[in-house]
Amino acid sequence: MLMKTPTQSLTEQLSARFGERIRNRLLAPGARLPSVRQCAQQHGVSPSTVVAAYDQLLAQGLVEARKNRGFFVREMVPALTTERILDGTAADADDRPVGNWSTAHWFAARGAGRGAHPINATALIRGMFHKISDKPQPGMGVFPPEWLESTFMPAAVRKVTHTRALQDFSLQYGEPLGDTGLRRVLSKKLATLNVHAAPENIITTVGATHALDIVSRTLLRPGDPVMVEEPGWAVEFARLSAMGMHILPVPRRADGPDLEVMAKYCEVHQPKLYVSVSVFHNPTGYCLTPGSAHRILQLANQYNFHVVEDDTYSHIAPEHATRLTALDGLQRTIYVSGFAKILAPNWRIGYLAAPPALTEQLLDTKLLATLTTPALLEKALALCIEQGQLRRHAERIRTRLDAARARSVKLALGAGCTFAAEPVGLFGWVDTGVDTDALSQRMLDEGYLLAPGALFHAERKPSTLMRINFATTQDATFWRVFQRVRAEQGR
């Protein structure tokens, strides 16, 4: 409820509240504001106050009115750049955007998106990590910080930074491929997953997302068709869209991608790449079956495209789970993973394992972007893995997650939700029965950040689904608030 104050009218308070969310990207471009009636009920104000507040947002250029549809968040584009785009001066000699223009803005303005709706990556990233309250956040994509606390990580850093060692590797650049010791340890670790990669075919990166970016920048050019699972990781849609790729969404089913759709894409578009999360798929939790994996690799060989397997959740997944890279033997596949989810998000250590024929090309792309990666943290990580501390830490996380998942599932079902996929892994794919874009806006007022289903599609569309994090939804208080707000929305 809003309360009138001596310094701010109700209209100004309401306008400021929505304005802050839009500027902080908690409301993404294209998001629909609540109807006047809904907003009035939600904030305890009159409809005329809501109309006046929305008028202020219109005047500030933060929203736009669409006839008979309501008010929608506008993409914030600098006016000066808009003029320059019209006369062609907003690009450099290579026809690339300059200044504050992202590649996504550029392709949208030039009509070069080839049918793919450009998703603003920062809208999701800021929305997922902008701290709106001290409550557990259902929409978060990571474990709570307290789950990741350990004593072995600081000890490993201290051990590799004693005076002599620090002097040896701090006064020069690290190895181009990454720390030799870490790559040897990773080679052994991958062998337990039946992924056989020699240390010289492993490249360390600044997180798994950086590894995916290296692969894209090496193998793709703007306009190239890329197959991506849908629903899928919103940041990957946004990243590829920002690079100007032609995104081909492949429906993800329980056993793997829709193979008929994939085959049709192959015949018509000749895709260059397929990006897949085979194990504990985000957001559904699905795991690939051997039969689907075999058919995917047949298509890759037949139509000459590469497969990038993002195994970000390998630390909480069964070792025996089907992985494309294990079946393919790193011929057409590239394996990507990292340690942000399970160990230390701020260490930003990821890696990729690639076919020998591609390693040098991928390394060149890494060197052009970052030169090398921080040897200090790579050496510390190698120590954590080698001494078995990471393995034991991951086992504790899995045990804790199993208990949290059981509680969260019980609470979600009790709140009237259903699961669109079997609840496994870190995430649940939940059907709420109402539009989750509108629901997420209303829940912001309660201090909760949701991950609505629309975020997980290449082209945003209304959805009753949402992704929940099992580690942060085991609090009954959240589900009570959820039920109340959902009931209010349904009136």
Side-chain angles (χ1 to χ4, degrees):
M1 291 286 185
L2 297 177
M3 299 291 290
K4 192 171 183 179
T5 70
T7 57
Q8 260 193 328
S9 68
L10 295 176
T11 296
E12 290 168 335
Q13 290 181 53
L14 188 59
S15 174
R17 176 174 290 186
F18 279 106
E20 182 183 10
R21 290 176 185 172
I22 292 169
R23 292 187 183 94
N24 285 330
R25 298 290 186 167
L26 288 174
L27 292 177
R32 184 179 184 275
L33 269 59
S35 70
V36 171
R37 180 180 61 82
Q38 287 176 331
C39 191
Q41 290 177 344
Q42 183 179 352
H43 295 281
V45 298
S46 69
S48 61
T49 297
V50 177
V51 171
Y54 284 2
D55 279 343
Q56 287 188 8
L57 296 171
L58 277 169
Q60 295 169 35
L62 298 177
V63 303
E64 62 184 4
R66 299 179 188 173
K67 190 174 182 180
N68 298 325
R69 294 186 62 196
F71 293 85
F72 293 80
V73 177
R74 292 185 61 185
E75 177 66 74
M76 289 183 283
V77 180
L80 176 62
T81 312
T82 305
E83 295 173 5
R84 294 180 61 207
I85 201 79
L86 294 175
D87 62 17
T89 60
D92 62 17
D94 294 321
D95 201 35
R96 295 179 184 274
V98 296
N100 293 326
W101 266 71
S102 70
T103 311
H105 291 143
W106 179 252
F107 276 91
R110 292 287 297 268
R114 298 179 67 174
H117 179 68
I119 303 170
N120 191 313
T122 57
L124 177 63
I125 295 170
R126 293 187 192 196
M128 294 295 285
F129 293 99
H130 182 81
K131 190 175 176 65
I132 64 169
S133 77
D134 292 328
K135 300 172 182 177
Q137 297 303 320
M140 293 296 282
V142 295
F143 287 111
E146 60 270 19
W147 284 41
L148 303 181
E149 290 176 358
S150 71
T151 56
F152 67 83
M153 286 166 46
V157 172
R158 287 194 296 271
K159 188 165 185 177
V160 301
T161 54
H162 61 80
T163 306
R164 179 63 184 174
L166 189 61
Q167 191 172 25
D168 286 345
F169 64 77
S170 290
L171 302 180
Q172 56 188 335
Y173 285 110
E175 300 171 65
L177 285 170
D179 180 68
T180 301
L182 177 58
R183 288 186 289 110
R184 286 175 182 157
V185 169
L186 290 175
S187 179
K188 293 177 182 177
K189 178 175 172 56
L190 286 174
T192 65
L193 305 179
N194 290 317
V195 176
H196 300 287
E200 58 269 24
N201 297 128
I202 295 174
I203 301 174
T204 64
T205 60
V206 187
T209 303
H210 180 219
L212 291 167
D213 201 57
I214 287 174
V215 174
S216 300
R217 294 184 185 280
T218 303
L219 300 182
L220 302 173
R221 295 295 177 266
D224 279 348
V226 181
M227 294 185 291
V228 183
E229 295 166 335
E230 185 179 63
W233 188 36
V235 174
E236 185 65 6
F237 289 134
R239 192 181 62 79
L240 291 169
S241 179
M243 293 175 67
M245 302 307 162
H246 182 192
I247 297 177
L248 303 173
V250 182
R252 179 62 191 252
R253 304 185 306 196
D255 59 347
D258 187 319
L259 294 169
E260 290 185 13
V261 172
M262 273 192 86
K264 191 66 175 177
Y265 280 152
C266 290
E267 293 170 7
V268 175
H269 297 285
Q270 297 292 310
K272 299 293 181 63
L273 199 66
Y274 168 53
V275 184
S276 172
V277 180
S278 301
V279 182
F280 286 169
H281 172 260
N282 179 11
T284 64
Y286 291 145
C287 290
L288 187 68
T289 63
S292 290
H294 178 66
R295 180 58 182 142
I296 291 167
L297 295 175
Q298 282 184 323
L299 289 170
N301 283 308
Q302 182 180 353
Y303 291 98
N304 194 31
F305 62 85
H306 284 94
V307 176
V308 182
E309 185 165 48
D310 179 0
D311 202 12
T312 298
Y313 306 99
S314 63
H315 307 287
I316 59 171
E319 290 183 354
H320 64 266
T322 300
R323 290 172 171 87
L324 288 159
T325 321
L327 296 177
D328 175 65
L330 285 178
Q331 296 181 54
R332 289 206 165 272
T333 51
I334 301 168
Y335 181 92
V336 167
S337 192
F339 299 88
K341 288 286 189 290
I342 194 68
L343 190 61
N346 206 25
W347 280 23
R348 305 305 303 137
I349 300 178
Y351 65 99
L352 62 86
L358 288 179
T359 303
E360 288 301 316
Q361 296 176 56
L362 294 165
L363 178 59
D364 285 347
T365 303
K366 171 188 172 178
L367 295 177
L368 287 172
T370 62
L371 295 182
T372 56
T373 40
L376 187 156
L377 294 178
E378 290 184 351
K379 288 179 182 294
L381 175 60
L383 199 62
C384 294
I385 299 173
E386 210 163 23
Q387 295 183 348
Q389 293 159 327
L390 176 61
R391 176 182 52 79
R392 292 190 291 272
H393 174 72
E395 288 173 355
R396 290 192 292 269
I397 293 286
R398 284 197 296 269
T399 300
R400 192 170 183 177
L401 178 59
D402 288 344
R405 188 187 309 112
R407 286 191 290 268
S408 295
V409 168
K410 185 176 180 180
L411 288 166
L413 294 174
C417 293
T418 58
F419 282 85
E422 181 187 357
V424 295
L426 177 59
F427 301 125
W429 194 223
V430 176
D431 195 335
T432 67
V434 298
D435 179 4
T436 48
D437 262 341
L439 181 67
S440 64
Q441 291 181 35
R442 297 173 69 90
M443 289 296 287
L444 281 175
D445 286 323
E446 306 291 341
Y448 292 106
L449 182 67
L450 304 186
L455 289 176
F456 300 92
H457 287 78
E459 188 167 342
R460 196 178 186 104
K461 55 187 177 183
S463 173
T464 60
L465 295 164
M466 69 175 181
R467 188 195 72 181
I468 62 170
N469 182 327
F470 288 125
T472 57
T473 50
Q474 47 179 330
D475 178 10
T477 302
F478 161 71
W479 291 104
R480 285 195 294 269
V481 174
F482 167 86
Q483 282 183 284
R484 173 174 56 79
V485 173
R486 185 182 60 177
E488 291 171 355
Q489 181 177 326
R491 291 175 191 163

